[in-house]
Amino acid sequence: MLDRHCLYIGIFQLIIWVGVANGEFYSSVDSMQDLAQVEEELLNATRSYVESQQKQLDFYRRYVEQIKREHEWATSQLKLDDYLGHPLHAFRLIKRLVRDWDSLIFEPILANNAREEFRAFVEVLSRDLGYPDQSELQGAIKGLARLQKVYNLATSDLADGIIGGLNYGSDLRWRECYEIGVQLFDLGEYQRSLEWLQVAFILLRNSPREEKDADHYLSDIREYASMANFELGNPKKAARLLSQILESQPTHSAQQTQKYLESRVPGKNVQETKPSWFSNYTRLCQGRRLPEERSGDPLRCYLDGKRHAYFTLAPLQVEPVHLDPDINVYHGMLSSKQILSIFEEADKEEMVRSAVAGSGGEGTVRDLRVSQQTWLDYKSPVMNSVGRIIQFVSGFDMAGAEHMQVANYGVGGQYEPHPDYFEVNLPKNFEGDRISTSMFYLSDVEQGGYTVFTKLNVFLPPVKGALVMWHNLHRSLHVDARTLHAGCPVIVGSKRIGNIWMHSGYQEFRRPCNLTSDSYKSLAYRD
Ligand SMILES: *[C@@H]1O[C@H](CO)[C@@H](O)[C@H](O)[C@H]1NC(C)=O
Ligand SMILES: *[C@@H]1O[C@H](CO)[C@@H](O)[C@H](O)[C@H]1NC(C)=O
Ligand SMILES: *[C@@H]1O[C@H](CO)[C@@H](O)[C@H](O)[C@H]1NC(C)=O
């Protein structure tokens, strides 16, 4: 119905953003860049280790050859006594043994400075730069599983490097698919685990010559597949897979697994219970709307130069996306240069994995929200402009504004449906609840990362420089439960947004009529 790209201007910018201490890397592309840096340093260090070892070994080889020649010549003389009876020969043998072997061979071999340097480097690496651990790997794999779930990505496509019909030319090897299958098994995602194990099995079987112990690995895959089947309530299939292994390899650990499974009750094939919002959420995340039973005129983009003198020369480019409650997109609000300055400000702060505001105001890190975030006040020149934009567009007093939260979502990064208001346990440093949300898109996203309103049939693809604004409260200041919204997982790319939440204290008379089309009757929508 609307052309979402009414006023779309996109300039791709590469932003380097470093410095995540103890961050969880997979949740943000920014922190993934740190990991790329870590790997580059590892590469450099390993290469120089190998080179210096190589040099050292070449030296030893030459030395040994030289001594060998002399030694053979001496011992091949008819009389070794005659040879050693020569004073210079005797001197050289003793000198070699006392000096040369010791300083040129024994010492460097035993000290192995290159190895010690490498050891020190690895210590620094894991202490200062942060090195991903098992939980990071699980996080990355969970991210993949999440993408599959929300976007219906077939495991075989993903393994082929195909996402959203595009081939990114990064197909996975059997070992990687196997690793994903094993991790998903450990996470209790048995169905998904089985799919990955099957892909791994096929890949390995089709390229057995590349792998020395192909049969052995095929058995390992079967063993995991057996356990996954058992957990999924298919004990017969599980038993069949194990006996297939034992036919060809009677001593395989499948023997123990067989005994173990026999002692246990098979899992039940339970259908996962999905939250009520799930089908709306996935549909909208995929950019599919329900046919609208909307009454009245379709919404149209328009220019607004009257809202504030600030917009007389450069009118607001408004794209209304929903009337009641009102959701508007304002295009071209921030230039690429301003966005870069915002990132520079954010760079000065340390990004920490986003916590979800809990009832006590204390955040907890959960999979509900997967991103990295930081907070910016309005003191710097660029943030001062941001504050003015919010004030002029919304008509609200910035005294009620929280600092801007800058968040970065990496692949699989998401925020499940949530309202922005608190309703209970309001934060003490602000007057009233969060009356409005202003969200700047600070990047385009190659695939995924839409903002969706699950109760309103609205999805918004991120458009760099645009601002989305809506009210979370009715005019009565009661919460408007229809504003439930979500950030869909990023499929390809990096999503950056800046959120400003405005509190309602003393703002009730400033709420401009034009932004508010809800009425008291919509209170009936409250959950
Ligand atoms: C790694 O080595 C290359 C070339 O030797 C150099 O350009 C690069 O800066 C090094 N990277 C790091 C992180 O030290
Ligand atoms: C799903 O969306 C429709 C509108 O498209 C809405 O009427 C319905 O309440 C939504 N369901 C849930 C559970 O949010
Ligand atoms: C809202 O804005 C439109 C267009 O800018 C204008 O025609 C209308 O009069 C405004 N409504 C109110 C209630 O101010």
Side-chain angles (χ1 to χ4, degrees):
M1 52 127 220
L2 283 169
D3 178 12
R4 277 236 70 253
H5 292 241
C6 318
L7 306 148
Y8 163 77
I9 307 160
I11 299 167
F12 190 77
Q13 298 274 3
L14 179 67
I15 292 119
I16 309 236
W17 200 343
V18 284
V20 176
N22 310 316
E24 279 134 31
F25 296 102
Y26 69 93
S27 60
S28 119
V29 167
D30 295 330
S31 45
M32 288 300 296
Q33 289 181 353
D34 292 359
L35 286 193
Q37 168 91 9
V38 166
E39 190 170 59
E40 183 174 328
E41 290 188 14
L42 254 176
L43 267 175
N44 280 5
T46 310
R47 202 167 42 213
S48 67
Y49 168 76
V50 169
E51 272 163 17
S52 75
Q53 289 290 58
Q54 190 66 52
K55 248 190 232 149
Q56 205 60 34
L57 287 177
D58 289 346
F59 173 81
Y60 299 150
R61 195 172 294 123
R62 280 197 307 275
Y63 186 78
V64 165
E65 284 305 312
Q66 187 196 325
I67 304 293
K68 192 169 150 243
R69 276 197 299 277
E70 190 138 347
H71 181 84
E72 279 170 359
W73 181 75
T75 50
S76 69
Q77 300 295 302
L78 283 176
K79 283 190 195 149
L80 187 61
D81 285 359
D82 285 354
Y83 170 79
L84 292 175
H86 192 293
L88 285 184
H89 291 165
F91 159 74
R92 277 163 89 184
L93 177 59
I94 290 175
K95 183 216 168 231
R96 277 205 305 273
L97 291 175
V98 172
R99 286 262 183 277
D100 301 354
W101 279 100
D102 190 48
S103 65
L104 298 177
I105 306 293
F106 302 160
E107 221 175 85
I109 285 186
L110 295 178
N112 201 341
N113 287 334
R115 193 180 62 195
E116 287 313 309
E117 272 167 33
F118 190 74
R119 193 201 304 278
F121 166 77
V122 169
E123 262 164 33
V124 169
L125 188 75
S126 45
R127 191 186 58 219
D128 297 353
L129 279 174
Y131 200 82
D133 59 16
Q134 180 68 12
S135 72
E136 301 289 344
L137 181 59
Q138 288 204 341
I141 288 172
K142 269 174 153 172
L144 275 178
R146 192 153 51 225
L147 288 182
Q148 289 194 269
K149 196 150 132 189
V150 174
Y151 297 104
N152 270 330
L153 304 180
T155 299
S156 52
D157 280 354
L158 209 49
D160 284 342
I162 294 169
I163 299 172
L166 296 177
N167 191 336
Y168 286 85
S170 54
D171 49 329
L172 296 177
R173 278 163 245 216
W174 79 264
R175 215 175 253 284
E176 291 161 328
C177 298
Y178 176 54
E179 181 71 32
I180 294 173
V182 168
Q183 295 287 339
L184 287 174
F185 179 86
D186 288 347
L187 289 166
E189 302 253 358
Y190 303 119
Q191 185 56 47
R192 208 53 97 180
S193 163
L194 201 53
E195 286 175 26
W196 281 99
L197 292 169
Q198 276 158 354
V199 171
F201 191 88
I202 292 168
L203 285 176
L204 176 56
R205 204 185 40 195
N206 292 346
S207 59
R209 246 169 296 149
E210 281 171 29
E211 204 59 62
K212 271 219 318 271
D213 296 317
D215 281 342
H216 184 78
Y217 290 125
L218 285 172
S219 296
D220 288 352
I221 299 175
R222 277 205 179 100
E223 188 177 12
Y224 262 102
S226 159
M227 293 190 289
N229 269 298
F230 189 83
E231 297 297 341
L232 286 167
N234 304 319
K236 284 199 188 120
K237 185 92 201 279
R240 199 158 60 239
L241 283 162
L242 289 181
S243 47
Q244 275 173 2
I245 300 172
L246 293 172
E247 265 167 35
S248 58
Q249 289 171 292
T251 56
H252 193 276
S253 66
Q255 233 176 355
Q256 282 82 50
T257 307
Q258 206 170 33
K259 290 210 185 72
Y260 175 66
L261 293 188
E262 277 164 9
S263 72
R264 288 186 58 219
V265 184
K268 293 205 180 65
N269 197 352
V270 279
Q271 281 296 314
E272 194 190 346
T273 48
K274 288 177 174 146
S276 61
W277 45 259
F278 191 78
S279 77
N280 277 12
Y281 170 71
T282 52
R283 189 192 69 219
L284 293 167
C285 283
Q286 293 168 18
R288 295 186 291 126
R289 287 168 53 95
L290 269 191
E292 191 69 56
E293 65 299 341
R294 178 173 276 159
S295 52
D297 296 334
L299 301 173
R300 288 182 202 290
C301 296
Y302 62 92
L303 296 178
D304 180 354
K306 296 217 181 78
R307 190 167 305 187
H308 188 275
Y310 189 81
F311 303 118
T312 311
L313 289 180
L316 276 175
Q317 305 163 355
V318 191
E319 180 193 350
V321 287
H322 202 270
L323 278 185
D324 180 18
D326 59 303
I327 305 170
N328 289 289
V329 181
Y330 303 91
H331 288 273
M333 299 305 286
L334 290 177
S335 67
S336 290
K337 211 172 136 201
Q338 284 173 308
I339 290 174
L340 218 55
S341 306
I342 292 174
F343 291 153
E344 276 163 17
E345 293 300 317
D347 207 4
K348 297 175 191 163
E349 311 290 324
E350 193 179 293
M351 297 280 268
V352 286
R353 166 100 179 250
S354 293
V356 178
S359 48
E362 286 287 304
T364 44
V365 175
R366 292 165 47 191
D367 290 335
L368 170 66
R369 175 163 204 187
V370 183
S371 69
Q372 304 265 348
Q373 51 138 65
T374 190
W375 298 85
L376 299 179
D377 62 27
Y378 302 100
K379 295 199 184 92
S380 66
V382 68
M383 288 307 297
N384 193 279
S385 315
V386 165
R388 279 197 315 198
I389 290 172
I390 297 301
Q391 185 183 339
F392 297 157
V393 172
S394 70
F396 287 140
D397 187 334
M398 287 303 282
E402 294 179 37
H403 289 176
M404 182 160 88
Q405 182 201 57
V406 180
N408 171 228
Y409 298 76
V411 168
Q414 62 156 4
Y415 196 175
E416 286 182 357
H418 63 283
D420 280 353
Y421 50 74
F422 290 92
E423 192 165 18
V424 290
N425 296 317
L426 302 185
K428 293 192 178 54
N429 40 345
F430 286 99
E431 200 65 46
D433 209 337
R434 286 171 167 171
I435 191 170
S436 72
T437 298
S438 304
M439 183 168 82
F440 287 100
Y441 290 120
L442 303 178
S443 72
D444 295 312
V445 178
E446 198 172 328
Q447 284 195 57
Y450 290 10
T451 306
V452 301
F453 291 77
T454 50
K455 297 189 178 191
L456 302 175
N457 204 7
V458 165
F459 67 84
L460 303 170
V463 175
K464 187 174 169 184
L467 162 68
V468 188
M469 206 184 271
W470 68 89
H471 290 99
N472 299 301
L473 307 180
H474 290 280
R475 284 179 157 281
S476 61
L477 301 188
H478 287 91
V479 302
D480 189 342
R482 299 170 301 170
T483 59
L484 194 75
H485 59 283
C488 301
V490 174
I491 311 177
V492 179
S494 170
K495 178 179 173 184
R496 297 157 203 280
I497 54 172
N499 282 312
I500 294 172
W501 291 289
M502 188 67 75
H503 285 258
S504 64
Y506 314 119
Q507 308 269 25
E508 43 275 51
F509 304 112
R510 306 183 70 131
R511 186 168 174 176
C513 311
N514 241 340
L515 281 176
T516 62
S517 29
D518 70 330
S519 55
Y520 287 100
K521 84 173 189 312
S522 39
L523 279 173
Y525 284 91
R526 278 195 67 201
D527 282 343

